[in-house]
Amino acid sequence: MAGLDRRTVLAMALGLSACGARAVDAPGEIAPLKSLSPFPLGVCVMTGQLDEPQWTQLAHTHFDRLTPEWEMKAEAFFMNGPREDFSRADRIVDWARQQGMGVFGHTPVWYSQVPDHFTALAASAPQRFRDEYRAYVGRVIGHWRGQLAGWDVVNEPVTDEGSTLRDCLWSQQLGHEGYVIEAFRAARSADPGAPLLINEYNLETNARKLATYQRLIEACLNAGAPIDAIGTQTHVDCELAPGAISATVRELARFGLPVHISEIDVSTRYGDARRQPAIYAEAAEAMAALPERQRFGLTVWGLRDSDSWLVRDRRRARADAPLLFNGAGQPKPAAAALGEALARI
Ligand code: XIL
């Protein structure tokens, strides 16, 4: 089906359903999801998966954009010391280019991974911190200047409780809004053509957190920060209330900017696992409900259930099946339901 246009694939998918292959039963084959989708469909990737033929074939068939799950974070850059090592991420960008797939950058500025040498700098020479911070963001974004589909410049700036902004080294040195504004300015200078995003999670289930996130975005935009689009990670489970994803996407879209469902997975650890297909379908419907110019895309946080961060963490007692494809790479009802929802757009 490679190279078939969306109209042709739609006709084939409708033909399949007409002969009784109901999409939400245990589907055998499904049409390439990316060919059914009018907006970019992404999946996260780690370099080890590029050596797995099943992973590469499935990812290339169904998705047109990759988000490095780890390789474009500070921890990966500074594994070997205080100078950025981009080699791990370069491998992903090079592979994606060969496959004709896009890459979405994620994420140089995150409270969860502050480079040691920045912590040391804050103590030893705080007057240099701002310049070094700007230079770091500029080097990262500039390394792939003109090559990426965009960036999560700043990730998870709001506390879990939701009513305040996170404290982290970046906020302590530059202010809770300051570090966000500085990062976006440095990123714009380094790659003027790259869409720049901010990204957050639990917005579907924490109204305080959504409101704080919106206030931060508004304050940064008013200060001139070049925020081009808004990410909502959408790590949810099967207890999620129907309509919660649509309501969150609609709320974020009120800025008039594109919205990215940036990391969706639907844990089956909680709630009725039979709800999973409908939740993935709602994510597609929520994106489809936006004007075309506001549909940044939908990215799934893993390809097969066994690839999921929720599954790889063996300390979690109960099994989980959060993604579209099972551990054998076969499409689940969730994949079929997502495909049907995309085909209806
Ligand atoms: C997670 C990765 O999936 C894990 O492999 C890693 O150990 C920790 O980070 N929100 C984010 C992602 O923005 O970067 C996180 O990814 C999941 C939560």
Side-chain angles (χ1 to χ4, degrees):
M1 286 191 191
L4 291 177
D5 66 18
R6 181 167 184 253
R7 187 186 308 276
T8 307
V9 176
L10 282 175
M12 293 167 75
L14 291 173
L16 272 175
S17 61
C19 62
R22 268 186 48 70
V24 292
D25 298 337
E29 283 300 309
I30 59 170
L33 296 172
K34 69 181 180 184
S35 305
L36 297 171
S37 178
F39 44 76
L41 274 194
V43 65
C44 69
V45 60
M46 290 202 284
T47 47
Q49 289 156 345
L50 301 181
D51 299 322
E52 293 183 46
Q54 182 190 73
W55 190 96
T56 55
Q57 188 270 333
L58 204 55
H60 183 255
T61 298
H62 292 287
F63 298 93
D64 43 30
R65 193 159 70 187
L66 299 175
T67 299
E69 186 170 353
W70 177 72
E71 290 78 357
M72 287 188 178
K73 293 173 178 173
E75 191 178 71
F77 292 145
F78 300 114
M79 284 284 282
N80 309 320
R83 287 203 57 73
E84 295 89 5
D85 172 1
F86 297 123
S87 61
R88 298 174 186 87
D90 280 338
R91 184 169 173 220
I92 292 173
V93 173
D94 294 345
W95 185 84
R97 182 183 302 112
Q98 291 158 16
Q99 304 298 316
M101 298 171 83
V103 175
F104 180 76
H106 171 85
T107 177
V109 178
W110 188 23
Y111 81 92
S112 168
Q113 292 186 6
V114 175
D116 294 341
H117 60 284
F118 272 100
T119 303
L121 182 66
S124 64
Q127 71 285 1
R128 286 181 35 223
F129 192 93
R130 185 183 304 273
D131 287 348
E132 287 302 314
Y133 174 77
R134 286 172 175 163
Y136 158 61
V137 175
R139 284 192 301 272
V140 168
I141 306 296
H143 181 75
W144 292 284
R145 182 185 177 105
Q147 301 176 53
L148 301 194
W151 277 96
D152 281 332
V153 178
V154 174
N155 196 36
E156 303 179 354
V158 183
T159 57
D160 280 336
E161 181 273 340
S163 55
T164 57
L165 297 175
R166 283 188 194 276
D167 292 327
C168 58
L169 183 76
W170 314 124
S171 69
Q172 287 154 11
Q173 294 298 311
L174 302 171
H176 285 99
E177 294 172 8
Y179 85 90
V180 177
I181 296 163
E182 290 283 5
F184 276 85
R185 284 178 175 154
R188 176 65 94 233
S189 300
D191 189 350
L196 305 178
L197 288 80
I198 191 166
N199 193 41
E200 190 54 271
Y201 68 92
N202 279 5
L203 304 176
E204 302 76 19
T205 53
N206 185 333
R208 279 192 314 275
K209 186 163 191 178
L210 175 58
T212 303
Y213 187 48
Q214 289 175 297
R215 282 197 304 275
L216 172 65
I217 293 167
E218 186 161 11
C220 291
L221 287 170
N222 290 342
I227 299 175
D228 299 312
I230 301 167
T232 175
Q233 294 180 13
T234 318
H235 293 294
V236 295
D237 62 40
C238 290
E239 284 184 339
L240 186 71
I245 294 175
S246 301
T248 302
V249 168
R250 202 166 41 245
E251 259 304 298
L252 294 175
R254 288 173 57 192
F255 287 99
L257 296 173
V259 176
H260 183 202
I261 294 178
S262 58
E263 305 180 16
I264 187 168
D265 45 31
V266 183
S267 173
T268 54
R269 248 187 214 112
Y270 307 98
D272 179 348
R274 292 170 300 178
R275 288 261 306 118
Q276 189 183 62
I279 295 171
Y280 273 106
E282 182 182 329
E285 290 152 4
M287 194 54 57
L290 299 178
E292 285 192 28
R293 62 180 173 74
Q294 286 189 267
R295 299 171 180 173
F296 190 83
L298 187 155
T299 300
V300 189
W301 207 243
L303 185 62
R304 305 160 300 189
D305 287 332
S306 47
D307 296 316
S308 171
W309 68 309
L310 301 175
V311 174
R312 290 202 315 267
D313 179 352
R314 298 293 176 210
R315 287 165 301 171
R316 292 168 176 264
R318 297 162 60 189
D320 203 347
L323 299 175
L324 297 173
F325 298 87
N326 67 22
Q330 295 157 333
K332 296 159 51 182
L338 176 64
E340 282 199 327
L342 292 169
R344 287 194 295 268
I345 299 170

